[in-house]
Amino acid sequence: MSKKESFIKGTLILAAAALVARVLGLVQRIPLEHMLGSVGNASFSAANNVYLMLLTVATAGIPSTLSKMISERYALDRPQEAGRIYYAALLFSGMMGVVITLLLYIFAPWYTALIKLPEATPAIRALAPALILFPTIAMMRGYFQGRNMMAVGGVSQIIEQVARVFTAILLAYILLQMGKPGETIAAGATFGGVLGSLGAFAIMLFASVKLSKNERKKGRTLINRHDQTIPLGQIYGDIFKLSIPIVLTALAVPAINFIDTTIIKPLLIGQIGDAMATMQLGILGSRAQSVAGIPPILAIALSTSLIPIISAAFARKDTQHLQQQVTLAMRVATLTGMPIVLALGCAAYSVNGLLFSTLDGAGIIAVLTIGTIFQITMMVSNSMLLGMNLARRSMVHVAIGLVVKLAGSFALAPLLGNYGIYGIIGMTGVCFLVITLLNLHTLRKIVSFSVLGNRWPAFIATCMIIAAASFGLSELGSWMTAFMHPRLAFFIACCAIGVIVPSIYLVLLVILRVIRRDELGTYPRPLQKVLRPLMRLQRG
């Protein structure tokens, strides 16, 4: 299999797994949003955001570093060194899992008092035990990605989400029937994450045992406990030297969600009251972040797949291959991300009406979702810098973006009064944009690439047309609520958007020559199959 095909296959595997996991996560949020109420939704969101923040810190960026180091060792035919590095990573993850779980459990009441949401304490404590296993699961996934075995991590993600969703909804339903308050139901729902971690760990353990047997047949060991060729101290020094910049880069999205959870109520209570601030926090976490998490799915897969491939090309000084991968990744991310962002953002009213319990918060969903186009470009460009050994530069860019996010949120929230929530979430998109621009500026100093070149005006025109189509179809769904059940009307509108908007988008990309016949072979094969019949429209 060629390098390009390997890259595309790995991307598609991870994209499929991420899509299934994201859809399952959204499926979980929909019934929970109906069951939890304002306080429960806010508590559930706070627990998940602090958990994801601490999970990233607990793993200290080692999965990404591990993937890179394992890939390099096997490229240089040093499997014993790879096994020693893997052993060191597993030791660290086991220790950090216990420490971070205890810290989260002990300090949960202090944090919930800080964010003026003490009801979230049981939910945070119920989710804390999941952190015992997840650092180790992350290390195992990093190792398999470094070996270019993407399917294992993908299957573990799916099993994790299935177990999490099933137990979360079941426990929440049982507690609701028992008449428990929203914060208790939220705690039951978050406990699903613990059972999800057990499912994911079982899959990774099974795959590790199987791989270990294959390695022994080749006279090698998967985990090198005894070889002292590389002392553990040296390995940890190398890992942490790389990991600290990586973890700060990886913290971009979890840190922003954590910042929003922390500041929304303190900034908004004085303007809109405690009840409304709690409701908006719940909407942001249970609805907006769920919907906005759909467009970056391919970017997550691209970012994960790019690290070992760009790292190998950069180490070999293969400039041509590096340029091809950078161009392909940025082009695919832009062309596939934009229509999803615009469709979901411009049709937020119908999406909200179809999925959730009330029509409140459609504007919050729209603003946060539209800003994710810059999250996509940020994630892909971050992974490129990582693969080029520029994690520190990426770390600086993320730090600048987070400072802009914080400063802008504190400035706009009071300035906008009752609409302060839009200032806070609007600065999220600005943060992603700032990081993207800084990343691209650095990348262009290293390798020349052109995403769309002189085709940007045609692409922007295409985006404006599909945005208008999405908004118009959503408004049609709103109008139809006068003649039929609202949820049925919104369902019809969303189905129409899902069919019509992608069709218009693909046709316009071909007619306006954003995608051209002579470059079709550079795209992933599934996309080629879709586009090739449409290329007849470019005749003459």
Side-chain angles (χ1 to χ4, degrees):
M1 183 180 293
S2 69
K3 293 172 184 174
K4 177 187 170 184
E5 289 174 335
S6 178
F7 161 58
I8 293 172
K9 181 181 178 181
T11 298
L12 293 176
I13 290 172
L14 291 171
L19 175 61
V20 173
R22 189 72 66 176
V23 170
L24 287 172
L26 181 59
V27 167
Q28 170 186 263
R29 290 294 186 97
I30 294 169
L32 289 180
E33 190 274 337
H34 285 262
M35 289 188 282
L36 293 177
S38 294
V39 173
N41 278 310
S43 299
F44 185 85
S45 301
N48 272 283
N49 287 336
V50 70
Y51 161 76
L52 291 173
M53 176 81 171
L54 288 176
L55 178 61
T56 306
V57 173
T59 54
I62 294 180
S64 297
T65 306
L66 186 61
S67 172
K68 182 176 184 295
M69 295 175 74
I70 296 298
S71 175
E72 290 175 349
R73 290 310 189 280
Y74 272 90
L76 297 172
D77 195 25
R78 298 177 183 172
Q80 291 300 106
E81 291 184 12
R84 187 68 171 166
I85 292 168
Y86 188 31
Y87 172 63
L90 291 177
L91 280 180
F92 174 80
S93 66
M95 178 188 68
M96 285 304 299
V98 174
V99 171
I100 207 73
T101 297
L102 291 174
L103 290 176
L104 181 58
Y105 190 88
I106 292 169
F107 287 100
W110 176 84
Y111 174 71
T112 56
L114 176 68
I115 66 174
K116 301 186 184 300
L117 190 66
E119 299 90 345
T121 299
I124 293 175
R125 284 183 162 175
L127 189 53
L131 281 167
I132 294 177
L133 284 179
F134 265 122
T136 298
I137 295 169
M139 302 308 167
M140 298 168 86
R141 287 174 178 168
Y143 177 84
F144 277 90
Q145 287 164 14
R147 296 288 301 271
N148 203 26
M149 299 175 182
M150 307 296 185
V152 177
V155 171
S156 73
Q157 287 183 42
I158 294 171
I159 296 300
E160 170 198 333
Q161 285 295 336
V162 169
R164 179 197 296 264
V165 169
F166 177 77
T167 55
I169 295 175
L170 178 62
L171 289 173
Y173 179 77
I174 291 172
L175 291 170
L176 179 66
Q177 296 303 309
M178 293 173 63
K180 300 296 183 181
E183 55 266 34
T184 303
I185 300 173
T190 58
F191 188 74
V194 178
L195 298 179
S197 71
L198 292 172
F201 182 72
I203 295 297
M204 297 307 300
L205 188 61
F206 175 79
S208 296
V209 171
K210 185 176 179 180
L211 180 60
S212 181
K213 291 179 180 178
N214 291 334
E215 291 292 285
R216 282 199 297 270
K217 291 178 182 178
K218 299 176 183 178
R220 304 190 301 219
T221 57
L222 184 67
I223 301 174
N224 187 353
R225 298 182 179 87
H226 309 296
D227 189 352
Q228 298 298 322
T229 305
I230 308 180
L232 289 179
Q234 180 182 336
I235 294 174
Y236 285 127
D238 292 342
I239 285 178
F240 290 120
K241 184 178 179 181
L242 291 170
S243 299
I244 292 174
I246 292 172
V247 68
L248 294 178
T249 300
L251 274 173
V253 176
I256 285 174
N257 292 338
F258 178 77
I259 287 170
D260 286 344
T261 299
T262 304
I263 68 175
I264 280 179
K265 288 198 68 176
L267 286 180
L268 300 183
I269 279 180
Q271 301 173 72
I272 60 176
D274 184 89
M276 181 61 71
T278 300
M279 185 186 77
Q280 290 188 349
L281 174 58
I283 287 173
L284 177 64
S286 63
R287 305 187 193 187
Q289 289 175 359
S290 298
V291 175
I294 296 174
I297 287 172
L298 184 62
I300 294 170
L302 278 169
S303 300
T304 307
S305 296
L306 278 173
I307 292 171
I309 291 172
I310 285 188
S311 176
F314 190 76
R316 294 193 310 268
K317 298 183 180 179
D318 188 347
T319 305
Q320 182 179 1
H321 184 61
L322 183 64
Q323 182 180 14
Q324 290 172 350
Q325 294 300 326
V326 170
T327 301
L328 175 63
M330 289 301 298
R331 185 172 294 175
V332 170
T334 303
L335 293 179
T336 57
M338 186 64 84
I340 305 173
V341 167
L342 292 177
L344 288 173
C346 294
Y349 190 81
S350 289
V351 172
N352 191 36
L354 172 65
L355 298 179
F356 302 112
S357 58
T358 68
L359 292 173
D360 299 322
I364 296 174
I365 295 173
V367 173
L368 189 68
T369 302
I370 290 174
T372 57
I373 187 59
F374 302 119
Q375 179 185 345
I376 291 171
T377 54
M378 176 202 72
M379 293 173 72
V380 174
S381 57
N382 274 347
S383 67
M384 292 177 186
L385 292 178
L386 174 60
M388 298 177 190
N389 297 323
L390 290 172
R392 291 189 179 184
R393 187 70 61 84
S394 179
M395 172 190 71
V396 172
H397 296 170
V398 169
I400 293 172
L402 291 177
V403 169
V404 171
K405 157 70 179 175
L406 269 172
S409 297
F410 275 91
L412 289 177
L415 185 65
L416 295 178
N418 292 340
Y419 301 96
I421 185 69
Y422 293 102
I424 294 173
I425 60 177
M427 287 308 302
T428 295
V430 173
C431 170
F432 293 144
L433 174 60
V434 168
I435 298 171
T436 294
L437 293 176
L438 292 171
N439 286 349
L440 294 180
H441 178 71
T442 299
L443 283 169
R444 291 189 189 281
K445 292 181 179 180
I446 301 167
V447 57
S448 62
F449 64 94
S450 176
V451 181
L452 292 174
N454 59 4
R455 287 170 275 185
W456 278 110
F459 180 65
I460 292 172
T462 299
C463 292
M464 292 176 66
I465 292 172
I466 65 167
S470 299
F471 182 77
L473 290 170
S474 179
E475 287 297 295
L476 179 62
S478 178
W479 175 77
M480 289 191 299
T481 58
F483 307 98
M484 63 183 72
H485 191 281
R487 209 169 294 277
L488 177 60
F490 291 132
F491 174 75
I492 293 172
C494 289
C495 288
I497 292 167
V499 173
I500 295 173
V501 170
S503 302
I504 295 174
Y505 180 68
L506 290 173
V507 170
L508 288 174
L509 287 181
V510 174
I511 291 177
L512 298 179
R513 297 182 181 274
V514 177
I515 295 177
R516 298 172 183 173
R517 185 183 304 152
D518 58 354
E519 65 186 18
L520 190 60
T522 64
Y523 291 99
R525 288 179 182 175
L527 195 56
Q528 290 182 36
K529 292 179 181 179
V530 174
L531 292 171
R532 186 162 281 116
L534 296 175
M535 286 299 161
R536 298 172 185 173
L537 299 173
Q538 281 192 1
R539 288 180 178 176

